[in-house]
Amino acid sequence: MSKIPKSHPRYNSLISREKIVQASNNGLLAESAMIAHGRGEAFDYLLGEKTSRSALKSIKEVAKRLKGAKKPVISVNGNTAVLAGEELIKIAAIISCPIEINLYYRTSLRISKLLDLMHGYKDKISKENPPEEWKGNWVEEINNVKILGENSQGKIIGLEGPRSICCVDGIEVADVVLVPLEDGDRCEALIALGKEVLVIDLNPLSRTSRNATVTIVDEVLRASKLLMKELLISESNEEIWDNNIVLIDALEIISNSMNRIK
Amino acid sequence: MSKIPKSHPRYNSLISREKIVQASNNGLLAESAMIAHGRGEAFDYLLGEKTSRSALKSIKEVAKRLKGAKKPVISVNGNTAVLAGEELIKIAAIISCPIEINLYYRTSLRISKLLDLMHGYKDKISKENPPEEWKGNWVEEINNVKILGENSQGKIIGLEGPRSICCVDGIEVADVVLVPLEDGDRCEALIALGKEVLVIDLNPLSRTSRNATVTIVDEVLRASKLLMKELLISESNEEIWDNNIVLIDALEIISNSMNRIK
């Protein structure tokens, strides 16, 4: 697919960009999805394109909350599916939860294309070796991951129109929602419904970042890989969570990145 | 075109986004142009979506250098044409210089579509009232603005392949190039050829920003409107230019924007 050499200092970012462009050409993404991706690129650039210590703290907190949830669900939009779909299926297998394809700009064609993409990932992953720390039947757990999104009779109370649509056995019933790259309105509505909302967002100033229960200020693929590892380690953490601390830390990193030129 | 109310606090940004999405749908832009636009959106957001005092200082410096140039040219890519094509034609009319459509990912189809777009703008502007401070024959000056790009037998020495292509009577012969949204490699190559390179770039850390003769850290439409005004005012400015000062100032604004949450 790509001619970018692995030695390129921004290899991962450029590969992600290529994936997004290709997915957009294939009709998997909404019209402005590439613009959203570009905004993310800029913030990631300012964050130094690496997972900060405080983002890792958020990842650990998210792992703890996913493990403790009664009805967790992972809500995935187009960009998330393209960038980190495989990792999120592995996470869903580890915590035995469904994945819901849930689109802000919902069309049945895009839902169906993204379902195909995710089912393709499932087939691929089930043929791979399980993660090192995994104990159990990997193939079975991967096969058991439900990809919801087609039958969406549920509703996110507090929202109107197509963006209020969700799955009854997914977001509607969930107590904890891991939703990378979420829209601000929806994040607020989910919080208002009393759900724990765990987000991955590169902009620490976004409404989503500021309203979520836990915000991982990190790139979705990097964060998902680390989250999978955290879920496989049994480490208890009894701290009380203050989400503002990680947001302020991310802002300080961005702020300090400005010293690069001086 | 849009349902965004004029009272929306981010009206201009959202209108620009719509224009870019529509132009992309119409085949005017390269595949990753929307991603580039998104990066710009993020930086503009951090800059508070307004022209800073130091950006205005850069705009005044650019006006002075364009007026003093022997052979100025304005180099325009897809995003620039879509976002600020009309304003740049007015600027070209005021300083009597050509505009060159010059694309990093050059295809003859996109060149021809962008030429059509710019010629359409010329027709439109020539029917409008001239700017208040203008003295002269507006219609004639607008009609005289050459839109180059089709016959491109020139070469930017130091670059290879399609991105080295330029027009003999445009960039190749120019002593001063106003090139909003330029690529880093090309900016360096133009500087190496001894040309003055005047850029508009929202990322004060980009290679383009850091290598240009004068960098306007601002959004291309806002900056172009102000540049037009500056060109119509005769104000002399004899300071020696230090481009680092405006870059550091932009970085400080971004850095301070991080305090919004605290």
Side-chain angles (χ1 to χ4, degrees):
Chain A
M1 170 175 167
S2 164
K3 286 172 196 159
I4 304 161
K6 281 214 164 183
S7 58
H8 193 291
R10 302 194 50 251
Y11 177 80
N12 291 328
S13 176
L14 297 174
I15 291 291
S16 288
R17 186 189 296 175
E18 279 197 354
K19 282 187 184 170
I20 288 288
V21 169
Q22 199 169 35
S24 179
N25 287 342
N26 294 339
L28 270 74
L29 305 181
E31 276 190 334
S32 56
M34 285 211 281
I35 293 177
H37 183 74
R39 284 196 300 277
E41 273 190 1
F43 281 105
D44 201 19
Y45 175 82
L46 294 173
L47 288 164
E49 291 175 357
K50 61 186 177 202
T51 303
S52 68
R53 277 178 63 179
S54 69
L56 191 60
K57 222 172 110 183
S58 296
I59 289 167
K60 286 177 193 283
E61 181 71 17
V62 164
K64 182 182 108 179
R65 287 174 187 256
L66 285 175
K67 280 184 191 172
K70 284 179 195 157
K71 285 263 181 197
V73 68
I74 303 174
S75 175
V76 164
N77 70 2
N79 287 24
T80 303
V82 168
L83 295 174
E86 293 187 41
E87 286 68 23
L88 292 168
I89 290 169
K90 291 178 191 175
I91 289 170
I94 293 166
I95 57 172
S96 302
C97 81
I99 289 181
E100 174 170 340
I101 309 282
N102 192 298
L103 308 180
Y104 191 83
Y105 298 106
R106 186 185 176 89
T107 71
S108 52
L109 180 62
R110 286 208 301 116
I111 290 275
S112 121
K113 286 187 177 195
L114 288 165
L115 283 167
D116 288 350
L117 179 75
M118 293 297 273
H119 284 298
Y121 286 155
K122 273 181 64 172
D123 285 348
K124 177 172 174 263
I125 299 165
S126 67
K127 287 167 194 144
E128 291 174 1
N129 287 331
E132 262 184 40
E133 303 85 350
W134 174 257
K135 288 173 190 68
N137 189 330
W138 185 243
V139 180
E140 198 179 299
E141 289 296 342
I142 292 291
N143 287 338
N144 282 345
V145 173
K146 280 191 194 143
I147 313 288
L148 311 172
E150 204 149 26
N151 298 312
S152 46
Q153 313 296 324
K155 186 171 158 51
I156 303 171
I157 299 164
L159 295 177
E160 297 301 324
R163 63 204 184 124
S164 70
I165 295 171
C166 71
C167 294
V168 174
D169 43 352
I171 289 175
E172 194 171 82
V173 79
D175 58 337
V176 177
V177 187
L178 170 62
V179 53
L181 319 186
E182 182 53 300
D183 159 74
D185 277 350
R186 285 222 293 210
C187 179
E188 281 180 14
L190 294 171
I191 289 282
L193 289 171
K195 299 180 194 297
E196 287 188 18
V197 183
L198 316 174
V199 305
I200 306 175
D201 195 318
L202 279 159
N203 177 0
L205 290 166
S206 75
R207 271 199 302 144
T208 299
S209 283
R210 295 163 75 163
N211 285 307
T213 314
V214 182
T215 307
I216 302 171
V217 183
D218 199 8
E219 192 277 324
V220 64
L221 177 57
R222 277 201 311 270
S224 299
K225 283 182 178 171
L226 291 168
L227 177 57
M228 190 186 72
K229 283 192 184 172
E230 283 302 322
L231 286 166
L232 291 166
I233 302 166
S234 304
E235 207 180 65
S236 87
N237 154 23
E238 293 306 326
E239 268 180 79
I240 291 166
W241 187 250
D242 181 347
N243 204 46
N244 271 336
I245 291 176
V246 295
L247 297 184
I248 288 167
D249 187 76
L251 293 170
E252 274 167 7
I253 295 166
I254 291 177
S255 192
N256 289 335
S257 81
M258 296 300 150
N259 294 322
R260 286 186 216 166
I261 201 177
K262 292 184 197 173
Chain B
M1 171 175 166
S2 167
K3 286 172 196 160
I4 303 160
K6 280 214 165 181
S7 58
H8 192 291
R10 302 193 51 249
Y11 177 80
N12 290 328
S13 176
L14 297 174
I15 290 292
S16 288
R17 186 189 294 176
E18 280 198 352
K19 281 187 183 170
I20 288 287
V21 169
Q22 199 169 36
S24 179
N25 288 341
N26 294 339
L28 270 73
L29 305 181
E31 277 190 333
S32 57
M34 286 211 280
I35 294 178
H37 184 74
R39 284 197 301 277
E41 273 191 1
F43 280 105
D44 201 19
Y45 175 81
L46 294 173
L47 288 164
E49 291 175 356
K50 60 186 178 201
T51 303
S52 68
R53 278 178 62 178
S54 68
L56 192 60
K57 224 173 110 181
S58 295
I59 289 168
K60 286 177 193 285
E61 181 71 17
V62 164
K64 182 182 109 179
R65 287 173 186 255
L66 284 175
K67 280 184 189 171
K70 284 178 194 157
K71 285 262 181 197
V73 68
I74 302 174
S75 175
V76 163
N77 71 3
N79 286 24
T80 303
V82 169
L83 295 173
E86 292 187 40
E87 286 68 24
L88 292 170
I89 290 168
K90 291 178 190 174
I91 288 170
I94 293 166
I95 58 172
S96 302
C97 81
I99 289 181
E100 174 171 340
I101 309 281
N102 192 298
L103 307 180
Y104 191 83
Y105 298 106
R106 185 185 177 89
T107 71
S108 51
L109 180 63
R110 287 208 300 117
I111 290 275
S112 120
K113 287 188 176 193
L114 289 166
L115 283 167
D116 287 350
L117 179 75
M118 294 296 275
H119 284 297
Y121 286 155
K122 273 181 65 173
D123 284 350
K124 177 173 175 262
I125 299 165
S126 67
K127 286 167 194 145
E128 291 173 0
N129 286 332
E132 262 185 39
E133 304 85 350
W134 174 258
K135 289 173 188 68
N137 188 330
W138 185 243
V139 180
E140 198 178 298
E141 289 296 341
I142 292 291
N143 287 339
N144 281 345
V145 173
K146 279 192 195 144
I147 314 288
L148 311 171
E150 206 151 26
N151 297 313
S152 46
Q153 313 296 324
K155 187 172 158 50
I156 302 172
I157 298 164
L159 296 177
E160 298 300 324
R163 64 204 184 123
S164 70
I165 296 171
C166 70
C167 295
V168 174
D169 43 352
I171 289 175
E172 194 172 83
V173 78
D175 58 338
V176 177
V177 187
L178 170 62
V179 55
L181 318 187
E182 181 53 300
D183 159 73
D185 277 351
R186 285 222 292 212
C187 179
E188 281 181 14
L190 294 171
I191 288 281
L193 289 171
K195 299 179 193 296
E196 287 188 18
V197 183
L198 317 175
V199 304
I200 306 175
D201 194 319
L202 278 159
N203 177 1
L205 290 166
S206 75
R207 270 199 302 145
T208 300
S209 283
R210 296 163 74 163
N211 285 308
T213 315
V214 182
T215 306
I216 302 171
V217 183
D218 199 8
E219 193 276 325
V220 63
L221 176 58
R222 278 200 311 269
S224 299
K225 283 182 177 171
L226 290 168
L227 178 56
M228 190 187 73
K229 283 193 181 168
E230 283 302 321
L231 286 166
L232 292 166
I233 302 166
S234 305
E235 206 179 67
S236 90
N237 154 22
E238 294 306 326
E239 266 180 81
I240 291 166
W241 186 250
D242 181 348
N243 203 47
N244 271 336
I245 291 175
V246 294
L247 297 183
I248 288 168
D249 186 76
L251 293 170
E252 274 167 5
I253 294 167
I254 292 177
S255 192
N256 290 335
S257 81
M258 295 300 150
N259 294 322
R260 286 186 216 165
I261 199 176
K262 292 184 197 175

